[in-house]
C-alpha cells in the first residue's frame, strides 16, 4: 500500500514535472482559452446591450412599441398592408412541458402582414399531432394555421423531410419562409424584425438567431447551457455571420420553388442536418447569412433533463460533423472536429495540473515541510494556478454578464411574458459543466466518427460519404423522450390544459395582431 510519505513525494514530483516548458505551455494555453472566451462574450454582450439601449432610447422618446418597430410610424395601416406574406414552417416531434407555451408565442406574433403557420408531423400517432390540433382549434378564426402529415422520411432526416413537405404546401404568394423548431419561444416582434431585414437587404440568403438556454437545475441542463454559450458569440454579431442555427431560419420562398443553389435537392438527397447543409451551400455560393441583434430566444430546458439525455444530445451534435455536401465542406468539418477536440482537452488539462499543484502544496503545508524543500516544485506551479484562477473568474464573469444582458433583452422584447431571471442559475454547476462537457466532447466526436450511425428519436440514420444512406425505424430501441425538451415521443396523446391567464393574454394578442385567415 502506498504510504502517505510516498504520496507526498509523488505529488511533489508530479507538481515539479508540470513546471517543465511543455507543461507550462499547456497551462498558459488554458489561460489564453479562458481569456479569449471572456473577450468574445464581452463583445457579444456589447452588441446585445447596444440593442437594449436603442429600444430604451426609443421608448423614452415616446415610442412605447419600440420592441416591435424602431419607427412608430411603421405601425400605420398604410405600412402594414404592404408587408410581404410569410409562411412559418415548424416540424414537430413529440409533446412536452414547454411546447404549448412555445407554440402560443409563435402563432400570436404581432406581424401585421399575411402570415400562415404550417405545423408538420410525420403521422397522426405522434403526440404532437393531437396537442397542436387542439391548440389551433382555440384560435380557429384568428390565425391561418394548419397541421400537415408528412409521412415517413426515406432519403433524408425526418426533420428535413417535414420541412420540405411544408415548403410544398406553403402559400403560392409567400415571399419568405421561416423555419422554426418547436422549442423556440418567439418574441411578438420577431417575425416582423426578420422580415424587415430581408426587405432592407435582398442579398440576404438566410437570417438566423440563437437560443438562450434556461437550465432546469440538473447537471445535464447546465452542460447544454455551457455547450451553447461559446457558439452564441458567432450569432451576436448584429449582422453578417458564418454560423447558422436550424431552430430559426428565414429564407426566400423562391429559393425553394426554383431549387436555387440546390437547396431542395441538397436537403432532400441524403441531408442529415438542415443548418449545416444550408450553411455549406451559403459558403459554396458566397451567399450572405445574417443574425439581427434581437434574434435571441428563451429556451427552457426540461425539468428532468438527466445526464443520459445530455450525452445523447452531444452525440447528435458531434455526429453532425460527419455529414457534408461538398469536399470543401468535408475539409471544414474535419478541421472543426480537430480544433474543437484540441481546444476542449486543452481547456481541461490545466485544471488537472492545477489540482495537482494545489494538492501538493496542501500536503506539504500540513506535513510541515521546509520552504527550501518545496519552493522549487511549488512556487512556479502555484503562480500558474493563481493565473488560471484569475482567468477562470474573468471567463465566468463575462459569461454571466452576457447571460444577464440576453435575459434583459428577452424581457424587453416580450413584455407580456413571465419575467426571466438569473436567480436560478448555479454558477458552480456552470463551471463543473464546462469541465465535464469539454472532457466528453472529444470522446463523443471520436465515437461519431467511427460509428457513422446515430439514433435520433428512435430513428437510426446511417451515413455514407457524408449523406444519409439508410433510414431504419425501431421504437423498441429508441428513447421515450427527446433530449432537451423532455417531450414524449410515443404513448398517450398530447394533453392541452385549460386556458390560463397567459393563454387569455396570448389570445388577445392574436386578435390584435392581424388578418384572420387567407384563402389559398
Amino acid at each position: 500500500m502506498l504510504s502517505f510519505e510516498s504520496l507526498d513525494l509523488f505529488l511533489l514530483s508530479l507538481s515539479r514535472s508540470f513546471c517543465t516548458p511543455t507543461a507550462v505551455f499547456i497551462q498558459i494555453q488554458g489561460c489564453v482559452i479562458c481569456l479569449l472566451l471572456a473577450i468574445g462574450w464581452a463583445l457579444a454582450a456589447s452588441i446585445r446591450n447596444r440593442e437594449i439601449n436603442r429600444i430604451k432610447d426609443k421608448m423614452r422618446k415616446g415610442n412605447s412599441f419600440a420592441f416591435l418597430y424602431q419607427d412608430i410610424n411603421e405601425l400605420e395601416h398604410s405600412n402594414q398592408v404592404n408587408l410581404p406574406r410569410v409562411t412559418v414552417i415548424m416540424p414537430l416531434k413529440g409533446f412536452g412541458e414547454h411546447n404549448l407555451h412555445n407554440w402560443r408565442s409563435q402563432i400570436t406574433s404581432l406581424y401585421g402582414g399575411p402570415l400562415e403557420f404550417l405545423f408538420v408531423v410525420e403521422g397522426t400517432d405522434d403526440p404532437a399531432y393531437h396537442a397542436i390540433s387542439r391548440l389551433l382549434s382555440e384560435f380557429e378564426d384568428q390565425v391561418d394555421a394548419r397541421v400537415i402529415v408528412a409521412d415517413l422520411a426515406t432519403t433524408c432526416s425526418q426533420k428535413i423531410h417535414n420541412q420540405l413537405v411544408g415548403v410544398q404546401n406553403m402559400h403560392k404568394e409567400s415571399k419568405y419562409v421561416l423555419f422554426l423548431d418547436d422549442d423556440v419561444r418567439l418574441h411578438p416582434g420577431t417575425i416582423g424584425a426578420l422580415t424587415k431585414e430581408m426587405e432592407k437587404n435582398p442579398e440576404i440568403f438566410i437570417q438566423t438567431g440563437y437560443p438562450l438556454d434556461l437550465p432546469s437545475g440538473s447537471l445535464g441542463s447546465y452542460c447544454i447551457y455551457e455547450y451553447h454559450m461559446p457558439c452564441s458569440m458567432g450569432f451576436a454579431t448584429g449582422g453578417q455571420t458564418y454560423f447558422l442555427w436550424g431552430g430559426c431560419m428565414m429564407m426566400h420562398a423562391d429559393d425553394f420553388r426554383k431549387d436555387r443553389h440546390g437547396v431542395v435537392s441538397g436537403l432532400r438527397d441524403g441531408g442529415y442536418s438542415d443548418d449545416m447543409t444550408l450553411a455549406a451551400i451559403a459558403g459554396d455560393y458566397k451567399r450572405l447569412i445574417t443574425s439581427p441583434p434581437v434574434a435571441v430566444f428563451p429556451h427552457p430546458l426540461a425539468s428532468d433533463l438527466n445526464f443520459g439525455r445530455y450525452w445523447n444530445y452531444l452525440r447528435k451534435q458531434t455526429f453532425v460533423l460527419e455529414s457534408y455536401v461538398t469536399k470543401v465542406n468535408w475539409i471544414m468539418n474535419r478541421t472543426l472536429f480537430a480544433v474543437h477536440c484540441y481546444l476542449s482537452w486543452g481547456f481541461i488539462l490545466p485544471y488537472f495540473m492545477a489540482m495537482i499543484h494545489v494538492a501538493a502544496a496542501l500536503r506539504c503545508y500540513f506535513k510541515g515541510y521546509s520552504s527550501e524543500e518545496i519552493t522549487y516544485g511549488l512556487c512556479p506551479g502555484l503562480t500558474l494556478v493563481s493565473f488560471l484562477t484569475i482567468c477562470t473568474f474573468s471567463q465566468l464573469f463575462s459569461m454571466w454578464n452576457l447571460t444577464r444582458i440576453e435575459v434583459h433583452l428577452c424581457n424587453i422584447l416580450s413584455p407580456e411574458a413571465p419575467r426571466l431571471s438569473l436567480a436560478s442559475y448555479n454558477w458552480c454547476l456552470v463551471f463543473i459543466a464546462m469541465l465535464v462537457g469539454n472532457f466528453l466532447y472529444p470522446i463523443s466526436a471520436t465515437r461519431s466518427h467511427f460509428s457513422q450511425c446515430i439514433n435520433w428519436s428512435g430513428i437510426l440514420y446511417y451515413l455514407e460519404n457524408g449523406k444519409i444512406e439508410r433510414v431504419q425505424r425501431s421504437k423498441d430501441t429508441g428513447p421515450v423522450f427527446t433530449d432537451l425538451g423532455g417531450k414524449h415521443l410515443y404513448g398517450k396523446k398530447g394533453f392541452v390544459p385549460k386556458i390560463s391567464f397567459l393563454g387569455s393574454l396570448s389570445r388577445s394578442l392574436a386578435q390584435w395582431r392581424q388578418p384572420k385567415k387567407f384563402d389559398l
Side-chain angles (χ1 to χ4, degrees), residues 337-470:
F337 173 95
V339 170
H340 200 154
C341 290
Y342 176 82
L343 292 179
S344 289
W345 278 0
F347 178 83
I348 291 295
L349 282 176
Y351 288 100
F352 171 75
M353 295 179 176
M355 182 179 66
I356 296 299
H357 289 313
V358 172
L362 289 175
R363 290 294 299 172
C364 291
Y365 174 79
F366 286 115
K367 293 292 292 184
Y369 281 65
S370 65
S371 58
E372 290 80 9
E373 290 178 297
I374 63 177
T375 296
Y376 171 73
L378 293 183
C379 281
L382 292 179
T383 300
L384 291 169
V385 170
S386 300
F387 188 33
L388 180 61
T389 301
I390 294 172
C391 294
T392 299
F393 275 105
S394 299
Q395 175 194 18
L396 287 173
F397 175 80
S398 185
M399 192 181 195
W400 167 84
N401 185 52
L402 175 58
T403 305
R404 176 186 65 85
I405 289 174
E406 290 188 336
V407 163
H408 188 27
L409 179 58
C410 287
N411 285 333
I412 291 177
L413 294 173
S414 293
E416 84 295 347
R419 307 293 288 178
L420 304 179
S421 171
L422 279 179
S424 62
Y425 283 71
N426 185 324
W427 294 97
C428 289
L429 273 180
V430 170
F431 175 67
I432 294 173
M434 291 170 66
L435 298 179
V436 172
N438 281 285
F439 174 75
L440 290 178
Y441 184 90
I443 299 174
S444 175
T446 302
R447 181 177 175 183
S448 296
H449 176 69
F450 288 105
S451 69
Q452 293 295 298
C453 174
I454 192 71
N455 188 328
W456 187 356
S457 299
I459 306 175
L460 294 174
Y461 295 106
Y462 295 86
L463 292 185
E464 185 174 321
N465 296 323
K467 296 183 180 295
I468 290 179
E469 179 266 337
R470 181 160 57 96

Side-chain angles (χ1 to χ4, degrees), residues 12 60 89 96 127 149 162 189 200 220 230 263 293 307-308 354-355 375 405 422 431 437 446 460-461 479 513:
L12 188 58
R60 282 193 296 268
I89 297 175
V149 177
N162 289 10
K200 186 189 304 182
V263 293
F307 197 77
M355 182 179 66
T375 296
I405 289 174
L422 279 179
F431 175 67
T446 302
L460 294 174
Y461 295 106
R513 174 180 62 82

Side-chain angles (χ1 to χ4, degrees), residues 114-130:
L115 185 63
E116 70 169 345
F117 296 89
L118 303 180
F119 297 87
V120 190
V121 296
E122 67 178 55
T124 56
D125 59 340
D126 191 318
Y129 175 82
H130 305 280

Side-chain angles (χ1 to χ4, degrees), residues 101 104 108 416-418 499-509:
H101 193 162
R104 287 181 187 276
T108 56
E416 84 295 347
I499 299 300
S500 62
F501 169 75
L502 290 176
S504 300
L505 182 58
S506 298
R507 175 176 289 188
S508 299
L509 288 171

Side-chain angles (χ1 to χ4, degrees), residues 136-144 510-511 514-517:
L136 294 184
S137 67
E138 301 171 14
F139 295 86
E140 185 175 0
D141 296 323
Q142 301 161 25
V143 296
D144 181 11
Q511 292 173 339
Q514 57 137 21
K516 307 263 179 179
K517 288 193 173 183

Side-chain angles (χ1 to χ4, degrees), residues 184-335:
V184 172
R185 188 168 293 181
L186 288 188
H187 306 294
T190 296
I191 298 178
L194 295 174
T195 304
K196 182 179 178 180
E197 292 298 319
M198 298 289 281
E199 289 287 282
K200 186 189 304 182
N201 184 3
E203 294 301 314
I204 294 177
F205 181 52
I206 308 174
Q207 271 204 102
T208 188
Y210 205 64
L212 167 62
D213 290 326
L214 306 175
S216 59
S218 66
L219 178 60
S221 67
Y222 279 102
C223 286
I224 297 293
Y225 166 74
E226 73 80 21
Y227 176 80
H228 284 158
M229 281 303 289
C231 301
S232 66
M233 291 182 284
F235 293 86
T237 61
Q240 182 176 357
T241 181
Y242 297 97
F243 300 90
L244 184 58
W245 179 52
C248 175
M249 303 185 298
M250 177 173 275
M251 301 180 64
H252 295 270
D254 278 347
D255 286 346
F256 287 89
R257 294 189 181 103
K258 300 176 181 179
D259 193 17
R260 188 171 289 132
H261 307 317
V263 293
V264 174
S265 54
L267 291 168
R268 181 192 60 215
D269 302 333
Y272 168 75
S273 170
D274 53 339
D275 47 14
M276 291 291 283
T277 300
L278 291 173
I281 292 173
D284 196 33
Y285 288 92
K286 305 296 186 290
R287 297 301 306 273
L288 180 62
I289 300 175
T290 64
S291 181
V294 296
V296 54
F297 313 107
H299 182 218
L301 299 172
S303 58
D304 59 347
L305 199 160
N306 57 34
F307 197 77
R309 297 231 294 271
Y310 158 69
W311 171 251
N312 289 334
Y313 175 77
L314 185 62
R315 283 275 291 113
K316 289 190 292 187
Q317 294 301 302
T318 55
F319 189 76
V320 165
L321 296 179
E322 300 304 313
S323 64
Y324 54 90
V325 180
T326 62
K327 186 67 175 179
V328 173
N329 188 210
W330 177 83
I331 294 173
M332 292 180 63
N333 285 1
R334 295 275 66 77
T335 303

